[in-house]
Amino acid sequence: VGARILLVEDDNAIGRGVVQALETSGHEVDWVTSGTAALASAATALPALVLLDLGLPDMDGVQVCAELRSAHPFVTIVILTARTEEIDVVVGLDAGADDYLTKPFRLSELLARVRAHLRRPRLAASDENDELVLGDLVIDSAARRVVLAGAELELRPKEFALLAMLAGNAGRAVTREAIMSEVWDEHWFGSTKTLDMHISSLRRKLGERDGGPSRITTLRGVGYRLERP
Ligand code: CA
């Protein structure tokens, strides 16, 4: 089933290739080449997913990302970046992006990511009324709400899915492969660094500091375990 996708990319060759690949897959694509046009397009017709180049002629892509996220809390934003510095990716994820893809990327990889993001999380289909309580952490899957010590946390869709999966297996090891398969895509062939980024971000939102005690234990070479209180 096709979705409406907003492509923000000022490079003609990349833009043409991505548009063709997405349209061949049945998606409806609105291709714009500037940050201003991207914000205007999203305001006119909300896309299901935004593919956002960070290097734009008129605005910093990170700022475009932040403005899109604040205007449209539930849209999925995937950053396309030629920047290889990890800090740029972190800044992008902090600005509200759900994922990123490093240029150059294969169109097959892009399509796999898009497919993964557009697919509804399995979580939504099961355990509709489950409320998980782990000490002062309450995860309500039906309402997609997370409350920590009485205060609601603002989690991005992937962070929520990740936390819900770990919480559903609290006290047990969850492998990286299982997480990538459940939260991202079962045919994932990209880097799993995005998982580590989301774990770091989740830890920060859970009020944890780098190097301090954590509810989420890293199992080196295996995966992660959310500790029971
Ligand atoms: Ca660019």
Side-chain angles (χ1 to χ4, degrees):
V1 177
R4 184 182 168 76
I5 296 175
L6 172 59
L7 170 65
V8 190
E9 172 60 75
D10 63 323
D11 182 299
N12 266 317
I14 296 175
R16 270 199 305 273
V18 170
V19 168
Q20 192 182 20
L22 291 171
E23 286 183 347
T24 302
S25 301
H27 300 299
E28 184 192 333
V29 187
D30 183 16
W31 176 19
V32 298
T33 57
S34 72
T36 317
L39 296 173
S41 171
T44 308
L46 185 64
L49 183 142
V50 181
L51 295 170
L52 175 64
D53 175 31
L54 283 189
L56 296 169
D58 61 335
M59 290 172 72
D60 186 332
V62 171
Q63 190 195 337
V64 177
C65 180
E67 290 191 23
L68 280 172
R69 172 56 69 227
S70 109
H72 313 290
F74 301 111
V75 73
T76 299
I77 304 174
V78 178
I79 287 173
L80 308 176
T81 179
R83 303 176 192 177
T84 50
E85 297 290 324
E86 190 165 305
I87 187 69
D88 289 313
V89 172
V90 171
V91 167
L93 293 175
D94 277 346
D98 297 285
D99 195 7
Y100 71 98
L101 212 52
T102 307
K103 295 177 185 178
F105 48 80
R106 294 192 304 267
L107 288 172
S108 57
E109 185 180 4
L110 174 87
L111 291 175
R113 296 281 182 101
V114 166
R115 209 163 46 237
H117 282 293
L118 293 177
R119 207 174 53 187
R120 280 178 146 282
R122 276 175 239 165
L123 191 72
S126 62
D127 301 333
E128 284 284 331
N129 299 309
D130 265 7
E131 195 179 69
L132 268 166
V133 181
L134 293 159
D136 58 356
L137 182 66
V138 180
I139 300 160
D140 183 342
S141 294
R144 295 191 74 79
R145 257 162 56 99
V146 175
V147 174
L148 177 65
E152 186 162 354
L153 298 185
E154 283 188 31
L155 297 186
R156 296 193 297 264
K158 290 292 179 199
E159 289 170 347
F160 181 88
L162 178 56
L163 180 61
M165 185 184 185
L166 291 173
N169 293 284
R172 292 198 295 271
V174 183
T175 66
R176 297 176 70 85
E177 291 74 21
I179 297 172
M180 294 314 292
S181 161
E182 175 80 16
V183 178
W184 276 272
D185 186 81
E186 52 199 307
H187 303 298
W188 189 267
F189 35 26
S191 154
T192 59
K193 204 197 247 177
T194 188
L195 168 57
D196 302 308
M197 302 275 186
H198 280 74
I199 290 281
S200 301
S201 167
L202 206 46
R203 282 177 169 150
R204 279 199 303 276
K205 289 186 179 179
L206 290 170
E208 298 167 8
R209 292 177 177 279
D210 285 348
S214 180
R215 293 162 199 265
I216 303 171
T217 302
T218 302
L219 305 166
R220 208 168 271 281
V222 177
Y224 295 97
R225 180 180 62 232
L226 185 75
E227 303 298 349
R228 290 187 168 281

